[in-house]
């Protein structure tokens, strides 16, 4: 979850996004960029704020894999980044990763102990991001309440 901008006014909640009837994105889905700055990856959490755009693949949560493990692998520069760069098509001014090339990316399956270590670290990371997002909303609510008391509306 490459967070570039901490100002929440540039984001809106996933529930609002889903009401627009754009692809059904749910908790534990992974978004992987395929245009421009390729191989940027985000995993959807309970309090994830997103910016809808084109140029991404949505990897739907499945019981076949642990989303935390897949997210960790997809954000690994040594494992994924090199493969993606080798498969990127640059036929115009914007680099692009085609679905066929994306489907041919090798995702290593480490032994269970290593997977569990990775999964537990990503879970801690996701819990911290969710906590941060909740705290931003709490601070905004305090500010908004204070503002209403001062302004009266």
């Amino acid at each position: 979850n490459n967070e570039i901008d901490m100002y929440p006014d540039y984001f809106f909640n996933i529930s609002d996004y889903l009401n627009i009837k754009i692809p059904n994105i749910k908790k534990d889905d992974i978004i992987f960029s395929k245009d421009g700055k390729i191989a940027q990856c985000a995993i959807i959490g309970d309090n994830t704020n997103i910016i809808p755009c084109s140029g991404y693949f949505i990897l739907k949560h499945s019981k076949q894999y642990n989303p935390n493990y897949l997210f960790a692998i997809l954000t690994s520069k040594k494992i994924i980044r090199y493969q993606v760069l080798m498969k990127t098509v640059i036929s115009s001014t914007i680099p692009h990763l085609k679905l066929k090339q994306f489907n041919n990316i090798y995702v290593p399956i480490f032994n269970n102990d290593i997977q569990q270590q990775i999964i537990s670290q990503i879970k801690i990371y996701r819990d911290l991001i969710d906590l941060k997002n909740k705290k931003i909303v709490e601070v905004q609510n305090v500010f908004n309440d204070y503002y209403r008391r001062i302004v009266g509306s």
Side-chain angles (χ1 to χ4, degrees):
N1 291 359
N2 297 301
E3 299 183 63
I4 298 168
D5 193 340
M6 293 297 295
Y7 294 102
D9 55 336
Y10 292 102
F11 299 90
F12 56 92
N13 292 324
I14 192 164
S15 59
D16 296 332
Y17 176 69
L18 294 175
N19 288 333
I20 299 174
K21 305 290 186 233
I22 298 176
N24 192 10
I25 298 175
K26 295 182 180 174
K27 181 180 178 185
D28 292 334
D29 288 349
I30 297 172
I31 299 173
F32 189 89
S33 64
K34 65 179 181 79
D35 288 337
K37 192 168 183 184
I38 296 172
Q40 298 301 301
C41 195
I43 188 166
I44 302 299
D46 288 324
N47 298 297
T48 302
N49 293 314
I50 58 174
I51 300 174
C53 63
S54 64
Y56 57 88
F57 297 121
I58 301 171
L59 287 75
K60 304 301 288 174
H61 177 240
S62 167
K63 294 185 189 248
Q64 295 176 346
Y65 62 85
N66 183 293
N68 293 322
Y69 177 75
L70 184 60
F71 173 71
I73 295 300
L74 290 175
T75 56
S76 166
K77 287 187 167 87
K78 293 190 186 267
I79 296 172
I80 296 299
R81 187 81 176 139
Y82 177 75
Q83 292 183 67
V84 167
L85 290 174
M86 298 313 301
K87 298 174 189 310
T88 299
V89 175
I90 303 177
S91 59
S92 67
T93 57
I94 300 174
H96 177 75
L97 179 66
K98 294 182 179 183
L99 182 59
K100 181 179 177 183
Q101 284 91 7
F102 180 75
N103 287 337
N104 289 326
I105 291 174
Y106 168 73
V107 176
I109 306 297
F110 295 116
N111 72 46
N112 219 19
D113 290 339
I114 293 173
Q115 284 188 43
Q116 290 309 312
Q117 287 175 8
I118 292 169
I119 289 166
S120 67
Q121 292 300 309
I122 295 295
K123 183 172 177 357
I124 291 168
Y125 164 76
R126 290 182 67 189
D127 289 346
L128 288 171
I129 288 175
D130 278 344
L131 179 62
K132 179 207 66 149
N133 289 338
K134 286 179 188 175
K135 292 296 179 188
I136 287 173
V137 170
E138 288 175 14
V139 168
Q140 287 174 332
N141 289 339
V142 167
F143 174 77
N144 290 339
D145 290 343
Y146 181 72
Y147 182 80
R148 279 189 212 100
R149 280 186 271 148
I150 291 175
V151 175
S153 59

